[in-house]
Amino acid sequence: MSIELLAETAQAMVAEGKGIIAIDESNATIKKRFDGVGIECTEENRRAYRELLLTTPKLSDHISGAILFDETLRQSTRDGVPFTRVMADNGIIPGIKVDKGAHPLAGFPGELVTEGLDGLRARLEEYYKLGARFAKWRAVINIDDDAPSGTCIEANNHALARYAALCQEQGLVPMVEPEVIMDGSHDIDTCYEVTEVVLRSLFGSLYEHNVVLEGTILKASMVVPGTTSGDTASIEDVALATLQCLKSTVPATLPGIVFLSGGQSDEDATAHLDAMNRMGPKPWPLSFSYGRAMQSAALKLWSQDIANNVADAQKTVYARARDNGLAAMGQWNKAG
Ligand code: 13P
């Protein structure tokens, strides 16, 4: 492992005004997205859709990297050019989702633990050969009356730390993602407290596993009220709470933090990021690694006529990348 190379990749992922597009939905998740717009979830439709996203003209103006699913990393354009080649030619760093999903945590009803450590070293070795230079692992933390338990937090963070150490051993930058889920009736203060506990424990686990922070990226959820709480929080409230929580938990040596969108509207995801970046000095670049908030408008448009709407759908992908890229610099203008 070269720490310099890992650090170089990590810094490139959060280069000024750039962020990540997450297109790493598992086949089960992309089926849900396709079902929502009436597209059949065949391998060819998944390939065609990912080709649309990855060949968006000038995508790299605002996108530094893309997270793929295993199937996508091995696919090619209709003309036979491997997606990894398309990305390399366009200056977009290939990333790969390496966890095997969140599964029920035995003994803790309603809580989940992410699986996928068995055989991970060999998979990472192969992914590196296929061109991947960073890897994502998502832990899922639900908030409820009795959740999250300390056991759930510890189990997930232990797995995140083991995956991160393996990634670095194999030359890939770990993008560690402890997602505190928005669903629930909790208020914003509870989300803050849970996020703080989770992140504090995560960085303890990374430290115990000798993970080099200079070669690590955090993928964080924002501090928001639960979706069924009935509470509203202004853009500034969310930005202030999220920034304060991150400042009190995330070491300054980390090269950058990127956010997931987690079900926020496209506009909220952009506005929150923009507001945080307008809030003055902070130790790390704050950017995006959005899935839904990068893709949903494009998917809807494409679904209306998958043979003829490719170019128009790509225009919406570019527009979302541009808006989020500007938000990563605190320069987004809502009026467009
Ligand atoms: P969303 O932005 O849709 O939450 O997806 C990001 C992601 O990669 C979650 O793991």
Side-chain angles (χ1 to χ4, degrees):
M1 155 182 62
S2 153
I3 292 173
E4 288 73 27
L5 280 179
L6 288 172
E8 214 175 281
T9 302
Q11 284 159 21
M13 288 163 69
V14 289
E16 195 180 17
K18 292 195 185 189
I20 309 280
I21 180 168
I23 56 172
D24 60 332
E25 299 86 359
S26 64
N27 287 351
T29 302
I30 197 71
K31 182 173 184 325
K32 271 192 241 159
R33 307 271 188 269
F34 278 8
D35 284 350
V37 292
I39 294 177
E40 203 187 339
C41 192
T42 61
E43 183 175 349
E44 173 51 22
N45 281 345
R46 292 193 295 271
R47 192 207 60 74
Y49 177 57
R50 268 68 182 253
E51 174 172 352
L52 177 163
L53 296 171
L54 291 170
T55 60
T56 294
K58 297 205 224 156
L59 189 62
S60 62
D61 286 359
H62 308 286
I63 295 291
S64 57
I67 321 173
L68 310 183
F69 184 58
D70 180 277
E71 175 185 279
T72 318
L73 189 72
R74 302 169 194 280
Q75 286 175 324
S76 303
T77 64
R78 199 165 54 166
D79 299 337
V81 185
F83 285 156
T84 49
R85 166 54 60 87
V86 173
M87 295 170 77
D89 288 351
N90 291 327
I92 292 181
I93 307 166
I96 177 80
K97 167 197 173 77
V98 299
D99 66 71
K100 298 239 170 177
H103 298 267
L105 178 64
F108 293 82
E111 299 204 87
L112 301 169
V113 65
T114 300
E115 297 183 359
L117 288 172
D118 285 358
L120 181 58
R121 176 178 277 124
R123 288 198 288 131
L124 291 171
E125 211 176 325
E126 189 199 6
Y127 289 144
Y128 187 94
K129 285 190 194 133
L130 287 168
R133 290 297 175 269
F134 70 98
K136 187 195 95 172
W137 179 290
R138 172 174 174 258
V140 173
I141 306 292
N142 285 314
I143 302 181
D144 207 340
D145 289 347
D146 300 320
S149 61
T151 307
C152 173
I153 294 171
E154 212 176 290
N156 275 294
N157 285 342
H158 178 256
L160 274 165
R162 286 197 56 204
Y163 126 88
L166 280 164
C167 282
Q168 293 191 332
E169 179 195 270
Q170 297 301 321
L172 288 102
V173 170
M175 178 189 271
V176 294
E177 180 184 16
E179 177 173 359
V180 177
I181 299 293
M182 283 166 57
D183 300 341
S185 56
H186 53 276
D187 59 16
I188 190 169
D189 292 342
T190 305
C191 181
Y192 186 110
E193 282 160 29
V194 169
T195 307
E196 185 177 37
V197 169
V198 166
L199 290 176
R200 209 157 269 166
S201 151
L202 171 64
F203 284 97
S205 299
L206 295 176
Y207 176 73
E208 281 164 18
H209 286 257
N210 287 341
V211 173
V212 179
L213 293 189
E214 288 81 352
T216 302
I217 294 287
L218 172 68
K219 177 158 175 165
S221 42
M222 295 184 198
V223 175
V224 290
T227 45
T228 54
S229 64
D231 294 351
T232 50
S234 68
I235 298 296
E236 276 64 35
D237 289 343
V238 170
L240 268 174
T242 305
L243 202 48
Q244 180 60 31
C245 188
L246 292 171
K247 278 183 178 170
S248 70
T249 52
V250 181
T253 44
L254 203 80
I257 301 173
V258 293
F259 291 100
L260 58 98
S261 56
Q264 294 182 33
S265 71
D266 290 5
E267 188 174 311
D268 279 357
T270 303
H272 289 143
L273 179 62
D274 184 64
M276 279 184 260
N277 277 308
R278 286 177 192 264
M279 280 176 177
K282 47 192 169 39
W284 358 250
L286 293 180
S287 190
F288 61 95
S289 174
Y290 295 153
R292 282 162 286 180
M294 273 296 303
Q295 299 180 43
S296 49
L299 178 59
K300 204 166 157 197
L301 195 53
W302 183 60
S303 72
Q304 288 158 12
D305 186 348
I306 65 174
N308 296 305
N309 277 3
V310 171
D312 283 346
Q314 288 179 327
K315 280 185 197 140
T316 73
V317 177
Y318 183 83
R320 293 298 299 134
R322 184 201 56 218
D323 282 359
N324 289 318
L326 288 169
M329 297 186 289
Q331 292 174 14
W332 177 62
N333 178 358
K334 187 175 170 177

